[in-house]
Amino acid sequence: MYEMKDEYLTGIESIDAEHRRLFELAEEAYQLSINEFIPDKYDQLSDILDELKSYAFTHFENEEQYMKEHNYKGILSQLAAHNEFREKISDLTLDRNDENTEETVKEVLAFITDWLVNHIYYSDKKIAE
Ligand SMILES: [Fe+2]
Ligand SMILES: [Fe+2]
């Protein structure tokens, strides 16, 4: 469902590796959400989502560091976009009483990966230009 594509490559190796990892984590969460052989997935889904969130935050920090080191002119709009996303997903947690956790996870993943693809494609790719 989710994978890193060549068209997402920025040409900056460390950033591309982190983007790849983000898609891997999203895919891992997605596969878990559709796996019908695990009876109670709440804890596992919750853990993998937390991992995805915290890896996204780590990635933003590393990317911001890279932009500072390279005096990237577009850093302010990058910071604004990262902060907006940080706010949106920081309090995003699963609810144990949610009867449709799998669906919720799918929606969350769709939101996160849509945002990432857009951001990588229209903003991150400019960093190396
Ligand atoms: Fe970025
Ligand atoms: Fe990025």
Side-chain angles (χ1 to χ4, degrees):
M1 182 70 166
Y2 301 114
E3 59 171 346
M4 178 81 177
K5 298 192 178 120
D6 282 351
E7 63 200 87
Y8 306 157
L9 291 171
T10 64
I12 302 161
E13 223 174 294
S14 59
I15 290 179
D16 289 333
E18 291 180 5
H19 288 162
R20 187 179 304 280
R21 179 72 187 136
L22 286 167
F23 285 105
E24 278 168 13
L25 286 168
E27 180 63 18
E28 220 178 289
Y30 180 76
Q31 289 303 329
L32 184 61
S33 76
I34 58 170
N35 188 327
E36 288 170 10
F37 299 99
I38 307 174
D40 184 10
K41 294 184 266 193
Y42 179 84
D43 288 333
Q44 286 183 60
L45 281 170
S46 199
D47 287 351
I48 183 87
L49 266 193
D50 283 348
E51 198 183 339
L52 175 57
K53 267 164 61 177
S54 89
Y55 194 76
F57 292 161
T58 302
H59 165 62
F60 288 164
E61 277 167 35
N62 293 340
E63 202 178 88
E64 287 161 11
Q65 189 60 37
Y66 180 95
M67 290 187 277
K68 277 179 204 153
E69 282 165 5
H70 292 80
N71 291 313
Y72 175 58
K73 302 268 182 298
I75 191 169
L76 287 181
S77 67
Q78 276 274 357
L79 286 173
H82 290 177
N83 285 338
E84 196 191 320
F85 186 74
R86 280 178 174 115
E87 256 172 56
K88 275 189 186 143
I89 68 163
S90 61
D91 42 38
L92 200 154
T93 45
L94 296 179
D95 177 0
R96 199 176 276 281
N97 297 317
D98 183 351
E99 284 170 12
N100 226 334
T101 306
E102 283 92 345
E103 282 311 308
T104 307
V105 168
K106 278 183 215 161
E107 282 167 25
V108 167
L109 289 174
F111 168 77
I112 290 179
T113 50
D114 275 358
W115 190 93
L116 277 175
V117 166
N118 247 296
H119 180 74
I120 290 170
Y121 206 77
Y122 294 105
S123 302
D124 291 348
K125 280 180 87 164
K126 290 191 185 144
I127 300 171
E129 276 172 12

